[in-house]
Amino acid sequence: MKRFAELIDGLIFTPSRNGKIRLMGDYFSHTPDPERGFALAALTGGLSFTDAKPAALRNLVMTRVDPVLYGWSYDFVGDTAETISLIWPPRPGANREPDLSEVVETLAETRRVDVPKVVERWLDALDAQGRYALIKLITGSLRIGVSARLAKTALAEWGKCPVDEIEEVWHGLTPPYRPLFDWLEGKAERPAVGEGAGFRPLMLASPLEDDDIAALDASIYRAEWKWDGIRVQLVAKGGECRIYSRTGDDIGPAFPDILETMDFDAVLDGELLVTRDGVVAPFNDLQQRLNRKAVTAKMLLDYPAYVRLYDILFEGPEDLRQLGFEIRRKRLEDWYGRAKPQRMDLSPMLPFTTWGELAELRNGARENSIEGLMLKRFDSAYVAGRPKGPWFKWKRGPLTMDTVMMYAQRGHGKRSSFYSDYTFGAWKGDELVPVGKAYSGFTDEELVRLDKWVRNHTTKRYGPVREVEQGLVLEVAFDSVHRSTRHKSGVAMRFPRVARIRWDKPPHEADRLETLEKLIVE
Amino acid sequence: MVDITHMTHMTSTTPAAPSANVASASIPVPESWIKVLPQGLYVEPGDFFVDPVRPAARAVITHGHADHARPNNERVLATPDTLAIMRARYGDAAGASLQALPYGERLRIGEVNVTFVPAGHVLGSAQAVMEYRGCRIVASGDYKRRADATCAPFEPVPCDVFITEATFGLPVFRHPPDEGEIARLLHSVELFPERSHVVGAYALGKCQRVIALLRKAGYDKPIFLHGALIPLSNLYQELGVDLGDLRPATGLKKDAFVGQIVMAPPSAVADRWARRLPDPVVCMASGWMTVRQRAKQRGVELPLVISDHADWDELCQTIDDVGAPEIWVTHGREEALVHHATSRGIRARALAMVGFDEEGQGEMPEPPEVPVRGGSPTQGELL
């Protein structure tokens, strides 16, 4: 447990992706089976304990500490797991501390009524760091900024194997993943590819700039809209159904309305959207459904989910990924005609002969639900990752407006010494109201200059945030804008980034809030 | 009125048993002779202040941290090491007249006997033991109970009133053993050999203690210092605390810091100064590092829970050790310690002292709330 607890803390505090990968690799190297396998399961969301609830732990701690002191402590710390882990009074001569495997195995066979007793014994045996990891683990909310995909990436780098190969075999395996570790350490053959509802790594597109398109041969590319939802993979195999995000996280539980329509046997690629009467709702509506473990009946009604299909990877047991795009598209259409799945349709193909024609089509589309175009080579096999060439995304030009910098905040990791996150505002009367925040779109040289400007024009400080003089105009690019009750200005931008720094422009010439409001598509 | 400069030294004696054990009708009520005034804790029958927050005619100083030892007092009484620290920090402004009183020696000021007893906080830190007509009050300043190679260990003194700090006065604060924290730092140095490690530590006490702990753990490479940490580290060495090979972290190429440990004041570790270091792992040595969210807010990658203040258990232990029937609690989270003492049948009250660094000198201030995304800040100025 000690090593696992150290890993959890390391991951919490390490801002950089590479640093996290390094920590996990170091852990896999120095931790024996089955301990490391259970840790991998914890990191990939593969463990679930239903019998240990935060409320039960709170009751437990109240039997051991003064409730008044607990209350003040909680007010100071602000997190139940952390407060309990820190305030838990040591009991001299406590038991040997449990290792991770023991925790997992014991909980699996303990009756619900006995769980608090077992947990109390462990809390006595562990130190504060260990208690924190234990509580996080058994209450099922690690929330340490590590996705399942990142944990697998770390495993891949440690085992010197492409992450997509791990994804391929993943579903056939269960914690503590002994055959997987044996294979990665060269002690055993590669595990059999799972037949079940595992995740197959997605194929991604490279961005295409307007200037690059002339070099491409229009006749070998096929075009379709790039819809503004989230990319998903639908997997229905042998009665099991899963909805995976682009990174392989299982988001199915938040979308029971889609899951219940998946009474087929196939693996599909598509865009998850919210639609009403066939019209795609703004991304903000979809956002109401994301990042939830459960969903209410009202949400299902107010924000009905829908999937627009792009591709088919498996039909029954048949792997179609090596076929060319056009052939797969035909198979998708045929399959769709036969299966007639509810809450799904096909993303229409857009016939064209010249790039000019396509550009016109792209510029004509102003609906919020369209981000741009996808270009796919007619003969492209479905391969994992982002190969350069077969698929491109050609986003339509962003909207832009001139705003005034209002606050600047320090960045994270390498940028922690720079004021790199900017809150910007638009004029409402003669007052600025914040309309968004951006932390990208500028070069490192520009960042140095921006940082210096912020430091020299600070009017107030609030911890890591500085309020600055209303003196610098930022031209901000964004994909769309919608109404928001969360922001004072009543609007929220999608994908805001700094397009240009207008050192030259007087702030009073920046845009007004009304201008932004006109761009809202209801 | 007694002039400090005219006071006579008395020979060192161990303080006698507390007067509370002696039944006597003439023993004064504590509040009748020690009072909280706007300038600080005032000892009336001696006409002096303990750690005054504004310049005073006579000041008894417990230790060298800036919220206890302020400049421009007229006459200053402190331990020899504390005076050396004040001279190094303030030069001539340390005080018009400085008088050293070694640990254990007794001095009469007016009608009050004053003795300094080690507080274990930083080099030279002392508890001021004050006796007046059979009543003994101990102003402990800041203190800790665990071993620290850079200063003399805390000694509990039986008394009638114990004035205690409460910087970490909540039971969530239990500082782990220092050795474990230093081991984590050294493990990280091993794990990221291509990076540097910058350790945020307050210039007086914490910096030298971290260095001493590293040396004790067998780390004998040079340790690099931010300019602000050099004078006091040199002074520690001059006063006999061995810190090994220390070098200024200036005038070197970035590459020179690869794999090295660099010490800097907390404000510098995640700011422009640290850009001279190759991909630094930001570490912070502070008792506040116990709380994850506070460490994260500061951009700390490796929090080291190393504090020069007593943690909750040490505060409670100390209250038991001194056996005082009454405690007064200053600067920190007074309410929890008062609650704890009261529930144990000890009279306790919070002293409303102003001007002290609530967060504990040498520890980091808590950052205020961050304005919500796109919203307006809700808290006031904190420059």
Side-chain angles (χ1 to χ4, degrees), chain A residues 190-238:
Chain A
R190 176 183 148 138
V193 173
E195 284 304 302
F199 171 66
R200 276 78 182 175
L202 294 187
M203 177 158 177
L204 304 171
S206 321
L208 185 68
E209 299 305 325
D210 286 8
D211 304 342
D212 300 337
I213 197 151
L216 300 176
D217 177 358
S219 71
I220 59 169
Y221 281 92
R222 305 293 174 258
E224 61 186 315
W225 294 121
K226 178 169 168 40
W227 299 96
D228 187 16
I230 65 161
R231 195 66 191 285
V232 287
Q233 181 174 89
L234 306 181
V235 183
K237 282 216 160 269

Side-chain angles (χ1 to χ4, degrees), chain A residues 73-112:
Chain A
S73 297
Y74 175 78
D75 289 346
F76 182 84
V77 176
D79 175 86
T80 304
E82 186 156 21
T83 309
I84 296 176
S85 70
L86 292 172
I87 206 171
W88 191 263
R91 179 175 274 177
N95 304 337
R96 174 185 59 86
E97 80 173 53
D99 61 27
L100 181 57
S101 340
E102 188 182 331
V103 169
V104 173
E105 284 156 8
T106 309
L107 278 183
E109 59 199 25
T110 303
R111 289 182 309 150
R112 190 187 193 113

Side-chain angles (χ1 to χ4, degrees), chain A residues 9 12-13 22-23 26 66 76 82 86-87 132 407 410 416-418 434 451 455 461-463 465 488, chain B residues 173-174 191 194 270-272 275 288 290 292 294 296 301 303 333 339 368 374 376-377 379 382-383:
Chain A
D9 267 2
I12 287 174
F13 291 116
R22 179 93 66 97
L23 287 172
D26 181 61
D66 182 333
F76 182 84
E82 186 156 21
L86 292 172
I87 206 171
Y132 181 76
Y407 304 101
R410 282 166 183 273
S416 59
S417 72
F418 291 94
D451 177 71
R455 290 170 191 273
R461 293 192 199 190
Y462 307 89
V465 176
K488 195 178 166 190
Chain B
F173 293 109
R174 287 203 176 86
L191 192 59
E194 77 289 2
D271 209 343
R272 281 181 289 186
R275 287 182 203 161
W288 300 111
T290 297
R292 288 174 179 77
R294 297 194 185 239
K296 270 188 86 77
E301 199 168 328
R333 264 140 270 280
H339 174 85
S376 303
Q379 290 215 343
L382 218 118
L383 269 166

Side-chain angles (χ1 to χ4, degrees), chain B residues 226-288:
Chain B
H226 180 287
L229 306 183
I230 292 173
L232 287 168
S233 297
N234 286 347
L235 180 66
Y236 263 58
Q237 303 238 61
E238 284 162 26
L239 294 173
V241 179
D242 183 17
L243 301 174
D245 186 358
L246 304 181
R247 300 186 190 176
T250 43
L252 292 170
K253 289 215 171 92
K254 212 170 186 173
D255 287 352
F257 299 109
V258 168
Q260 304 294 343
I261 295 175
V262 183
M263 308 288 303
S267 59
V269 293
D271 209 343
R272 281 181 289 186
W273 182 84
R275 287 182 203 161
R276 71 189 63 202
L277 304 174
D279 192 14
V281 176
V282 176
C283 314
M284 192 75 75
S286 161
W288 300 111

Side-chain angles (χ1 to χ4, degrees), chain B residues 165-233:
Chain B
E165 62 142 321
T167 305
F168 292 109
L170 280 175
V172 286
F173 293 109
R174 287 203 176 86
H175 309 324
D178 306 330
E179 293 74 22
E181 299 302 290
I182 290 299
R184 294 197 302 115
L185 171 58
L186 292 174
H187 178 71
S188 179
V189 171
E190 218 173 279
L191 192 59
F192 298 102
E194 77 289 2
R195 303 176 67 180
S196 59
H197 282 67
V198 59
V199 182
Y202 190 68
L204 170 58
K206 188 68 63 63
C207 165
Q208 296 78 22
R209 171 140 168 258
V210 169
I211 294 170
L213 286 165
L214 282 165
R215 298 306 185 207
K216 194 177 155 213
Y219 186 85
D220 53 11
K221 288 165 66 177
I223 292 173
F224 294 87
L225 301 183
H226 180 287
L229 306 183
I230 292 173
L232 287 168
S233 297

Side-chain angles (χ1 to χ4, degrees), chain A residues 229-493:
Chain A
I230 65 161
R231 195 66 191 285
V232 287
Q233 181 174 89
L234 306 181
V235 183
K237 282 216 160 269
E240 269 190 85
C241 297
R242 296 269 190 283
I243 303 172
Y244 292 107
S245 71
R246 219 182 68 160
T247 50
D249 292 316
D250 183 359
I251 57 167
F255 295 95
D257 41 352
I258 300 293
L259 281 178
E260 71 184 17
T261 69
M262 291 168 60
D263 54 352
F264 45 76
D265 193 323
V267 177
L268 305 165
D269 184 334
E271 194 85 13
L272 183 63
L273 305 162
V274 164
T275 63
R276 291 192 193 87
D277 304 320
V279 179
V280 178
F283 185 82
N284 198 36
D285 285 27
L286 176 59
Q287 216 150 26
Q288 310 304 316
R289 294 278 309 264
L290 296 175
N291 300 322
R292 289 177 188 277
K293 288 211 155 156
V295 64
T296 62
K298 181 163 166 34
M299 299 191 63
L300 290 174
L301 209 64
D302 290 351
Y303 305 104
Y306 196 83
V307 178
R308 192 147 280 173
L309 300 171
Y310 292 133
D311 215 324
I312 184 164
L313 283 61
F314 280 75
E315 185 178 351
E318 191 188 353
D319 188 347
L320 307 179
R321 289 178 290 177
Q322 291 311 308
L323 303 175
F325 172 73
E326 215 158 48
I327 303 171
R328 287 201 313 280
R329 172 74 196 192
K330 181 77 175 58
R331 293 285 298 259
L332 176 67
E333 288 170 7
D334 291 350
W335 172 86
Y336 183 81
R338 284 194 307 277
K340 298 191 176 57
Q342 298 295 300
R343 290 182 179 275
M344 290 176 209
D345 66 7
L346 298 176
S347 174
M349 300 306 295
L350 304 170
F352 71 100
T353 44
T354 65
W355 292 128
E357 218 176 294
L358 199 60
E360 222 164 277
L361 206 56
R362 184 183 75 140
N363 296 336
R366 286 314 325 183
E367 295 106 285
N368 257 344
S369 56
I370 291 173
E371 263 191 87
L373 288 166
M374 290 294 301
L375 304 178
K376 299 175 176 178
R377 266 185 75 119
F378 80 103
D379 57 352
S380 53
Y382 193 98
V383 294
R386 201 190 299 273
K388 182 94 181 147
W391 286 14
F392 289 105
K393 54 183 172 192
W394 192 23
K395 288 201 177 185
R396 72 173 179 207
L399 301 162
T400 62
M401 83 180 269
D402 286 335
T403 65
V404 182
M405 189 195 284
M406 297 178 69
Y407 304 101
Q409 186 171 356
R410 282 166 183 273
H412 295 280
K414 286 199 166 135
R415 278 182 169 188
S416 59
S417 72
F418 291 94
Y419 286 88
S420 62
D421 298 10
Y422 310 110
T423 300
F424 48 83
W427 293 108
K428 183 184 182 184
D430 52 9
E431 195 192 17
L432 276 177
V433 289
V435 293
K437 196 170 170 184
Y439 46 85
S440 64
F442 36 81
T443 63
D444 288 353
E445 289 73 37
E446 284 172 325
L447 174 58
V448 170
R449 208 170 151 201
L450 283 165
D451 177 71
K452 192 162 176 236
W453 191 89
V454 168
R455 290 170 191 273
N456 292 340
H457 295 84
T458 299
T459 53
K460 275 183 185 170
R461 293 192 199 190
Y462 307 89
V465 176
R466 288 182 181 217
E467 184 179 321
V468 294
E469 276 169 36
Q470 300 177 349
L472 182 60
V473 175
L474 299 175
E475 182 184 326
V476 173
F478 49 99
D479 286 9
S480 62
V481 59
H482 43 84
R483 293 213 177 279
S484 163
T485 49
R486 283 174 58 190
H487 298 92
K488 195 178 166 190
S489 60
V491 296
M493 292 174 173

